[in-house]
mmCIF file of all heavy atoms in Angstrom:
data_model
loop_
_atom_site.group_PDB
_atom_site.id
_atom_site.type_symbol
_atom_site.label_atom_id
_atom_site.label_comp_id
_atom_site.label_asym_id
_atom_site.label_seq_id
_atom_site.Cartn_x
_atom_site.Cartn_y
_atom_site.Cartn_z
ATOM 1 N N ASN T 3 -7.625 -16.037 -37.375
ATOM 2 C CA ASN T 3 -6.321 -15.392 -37.603
ATOM 3 C C ASN T 3 -5.679 -15.070 -36.231
ATOM 4 O O ASN T 3 -6.123 -14.157 -35.540
ATOM 5 C CB ASN T 3 -6.617 -14.100 -38.394
ATOM 6 C CG ASN T 3 -5.312 -13.380 -38.766
ATOM 7 O OD1 ASN T 3 -4.245 -13.962 -38.738
ATOM 8 N ND2 ASN T 3 -5.414 -12.129 -39.143
ATOM 9 N N PRO T 18 -8.714 12.527 -47.850
ATOM 10 C CA PRO T 18 -8.782 14.015 -47.946
ATOM 11 C C PRO T 18 -9.390 14.617 -46.704
ATOM 12 O O PRO T 18 -9.068 15.814 -46.368
ATOM 13 C CB PRO T 18 -9.709 14.160 -49.216
ATOM 14 C CG PRO T 18 -9.458 12.920 -50.022
ATOM 15 C CD PRO T 18 -9.229 11.855 -49.035
ATOM 16 N N ASN T 22 -4.673 19.085 -43.379
ATOM 17 C CA ASN T 22 -4.474 20.279 -42.539
ATOM 18 C C ASN T 22 -4.339 21.455 -43.497
ATOM 19 O O ASN T 22 -4.454 21.354 -44.702
ATOM 20 C CB ASN T 22 -3.213 20.105 -41.600
ATOM 21 C CG ASN T 22 -1.888 20.069 -42.408
ATOM 22 O OD1 ASN T 22 -1.861 20.325 -43.603
ATOM 23 N ND2 ASN T 22 -0.817 19.683 -41.705
ATOM 24 N N GLY T 29 -1.967 16.894 -37.739
ATOM 25 C CA GLY T 29 -1.297 16.284 -36.554
ATOM 26 C C GLY T 29 -2.339 15.690 -35.616
ATOM 27 O O GLY T 29 -2.076 14.617 -35.056
ATOM 28 N N GLY T 40 -2.645 2.265 -30.010
ATOM 29 C CA GLY T 40 -2.176 1.916 -28.666
ATOM 30 C C GLY T 40 -3.231 1.325 -27.838
ATOM 31 O O GLY T 40 -2.979 0.293 -27.112
ATOM 32 N N TYR T 41 -4.465 1.858 -27.980
ATOM 33 C CA TYR T 41 -5.570 1.236 -27.202
ATOM 34 C C TYR T 41 -5.836 -0.215 -27.633
ATOM 35 O O TYR T 41 -5.954 -1.105 -26.772
ATOM 36 C CB TYR T 41 -6.865 2.078 -27.354
ATOM 37 C CG TYR T 41 -8.112 1.286 -26.908
ATOM 38 C CD1 TYR T 41 -8.327 1.255 -25.560
ATOM 39 C CD2 TYR T 41 -8.926 0.656 -27.803
ATOM 40 C CE1 TYR T 41 -9.387 0.501 -25.072
ATOM 41 C CE2 TYR T 41 -10.001 -0.147 -27.348
ATOM 42 C CZ TYR T 41 -10.223 -0.149 -25.998
ATOM 43 O OH TYR T 41 -11.278 -0.900 -25.526
ATOM 44 N N GLY T 59 6.017 12.735 -25.149
ATOM 45 C CA GLY T 59 6.755 13.405 -26.237
ATOM 46 C C GLY T 59 6.539 12.895 -27.657
ATOM 47 O O GLY T 59 7.415 12.156 -28.163
ATOM 48 N N ILE T 68 -1.630 13.164 -48.096
ATOM 49 C CA ILE T 68 -2.932 12.627 -48.350
ATOM 50 C C ILE T 68 -2.832 11.535 -49.440
ATOM 51 O O ILE T 68 -2.181 11.716 -50.449
ATOM 52 C CB ILE T 68 -3.925 13.743 -48.776
ATOM 53 C CG1 ILE T 68 -3.973 14.839 -47.771
ATOM 54 C CG2 ILE T 68 -5.326 13.185 -49.105
ATOM 55 C CD1 ILE T 68 -4.495 14.501 -46.429
ATOM 56 N N LYS T 77 3.370 -1.593 -29.791
ATOM 57 C CA LYS T 77 3.977 -2.745 -29.152
ATOM 58 C C LYS T 77 4.132 -2.508 -27.648
ATOM 59 O O LYS T 77 4.572 -1.440 -27.228
ATOM 60 C CB LYS T 77 5.408 -2.967 -29.807
ATOM 61 C CG LYS T 77 6.174 -4.058 -29.121
ATOM 62 C CD LYS T 77 7.423 -4.350 -29.957
ATOM 63 C CE LYS T 77 8.320 -5.351 -29.261
ATOM 64 N NZ LYS T 77 7.614 -6.565 -28.811
ATOM 65 N N PHE T 93 4.677 4.855 -39.862
ATOM 66 C CA PHE T 93 5.333 4.904 -41.177
ATOM 67 C C PHE T 93 4.356 5.304 -42.222
ATOM 68 O O PHE T 93 3.178 4.984 -42.065
ATOM 69 C CB PHE T 93 5.888 3.488 -41.501
ATOM 70 C CG PHE T 93 6.919 3.012 -40.491
ATOM 71 C CD1 PHE T 93 6.476 2.374 -39.350
ATOM 72 C CD2 PHE T 93 8.296 3.196 -40.677
ATOM 73 C CE1 PHE T 93 7.463 1.934 -38.354
ATOM 74 C CE2 PHE T 93 9.204 2.748 -39.806
ATOM 75 C CZ PHE T 93 8.765 2.164 -38.601
ATOM 76 N N VAL T 113 -3.931 2.370 -18.736
ATOM 77 C CA VAL T 113 -4.225 1.693 -17.439
ATOM 78 C C VAL T 113 -5.505 0.904 -17.633
ATOM 79 O O VAL T 113 -6.535 1.442 -18.155
ATOM 80 C CB VAL T 113 -4.382 2.728 -16.296
ATOM 81 C CG1 VAL T 113 -4.902 2.063 -15.046
ATOM 82 C CG2 VAL T 113 -3.045 3.407 -15.992
ATOM 83 N N MET T 145 10.156 6.614 -17.633
ATOM 84 C CA MET T 145 9.394 6.705 -16.358
ATOM 85 C C MET T 145 10.194 7.577 -15.406
ATOM 86 O O MET T 145 9.622 8.441 -14.743
ATOM 87 C CB MET T 145 9.203 5.364 -15.737
ATOM 88 C CG MET T 145 7.922 4.700 -16.149
ATOM 89 S SD MET T 145 7.888 2.980 -15.665
ATOM 90 C CE MET T 145 7.438 3.101 -13.982
ATOM 91 N N GLU T 153 7.282 16.647 -11.275
ATOM 92 C CA GLU T 153 7.664 17.520 -10.165
ATOM 93 C C GLU T 153 7.566 19.008 -10.597
ATOM 94 O O GLU T 153 7.132 19.884 -9.845
ATOM 95 C CB GLU T 153 9.090 17.198 -9.663
ATOM 96 C CG GLU T 153 9.121 16.028 -8.744
ATOM 97 C CD GLU T 153 10.535 15.476 -8.518
ATOM 98 O OE1 GLU T 153 11.515 16.143 -8.875
ATOM 99 O OE2 GLU T 153 10.632 14.386 -7.982
#
Side-chain angles (χ1 to χ4, degrees):
N3 186 17
N22 68 10
Y41 167 76
I68 302 298
K77 176 171 175 48
F93 298 84
V113 170
M145 269 169 81
E153 280 167 12

